[in-house]
Amino acid sequence: MLSPTAQEVYEITDPSTIPALKIHGDGEWESYPDPYVATVWFDTDQGRFGVDVSRTALDAPWVGERIIFPGEGSILQ
């Protein structure tokens, strides 16, 4: 569910280094004036994580662009 650009960026990531997270509640969508991008925030047992997402058309599926770790902000803001 990653964009082609994100696939390239994260392809060298070792999955065993990614912590297991327990998500609390539903994700919170942060919309922007551009209807083709958004950020989804998740409260977890290890802090607040987010995912910058995009789509190519209003009826196209959302794909992940960037994972946001606790303490970081969206690049879309």
Side-chain angles (χ1 to χ4, degrees):
M1 304 303 296
L2 295 174
S3 71
T5 301
Q7 289 176 27
E8 286 182 30
V9 169
Y10 294 112
E11 74 181 346
I12 62 170
T13 302
D14 180 354
S16 68
T17 65
I18 300 172
L21 302 174
K22 181 174 181 179
I23 296 175
H24 303 290
D26 296 327
E28 175 188 333
W29 281 80
E30 182 175 355
S31 300
Y32 301 100
D34 181 342
Y36 299 98
V37 297
T39 302
V40 186
W41 295 99
F42 300 92
D43 290 321
T44 77
D45 58 337
Q46 296 189 37
R48 190 170 195 222
F49 284 76
V51 179
D52 285 335
V53 296
S54 69
R55 59 185 173 180
T56 56
L58 294 178
D59 60 347
W62 291 99
V63 295
E65 294 290 345
R66 180 175 172 265
I67 299 167
I68 306 165
F69 291 86
E72 295 179 350
S74 168
I75 60 173
L76 303 175
Q77 298 175 339

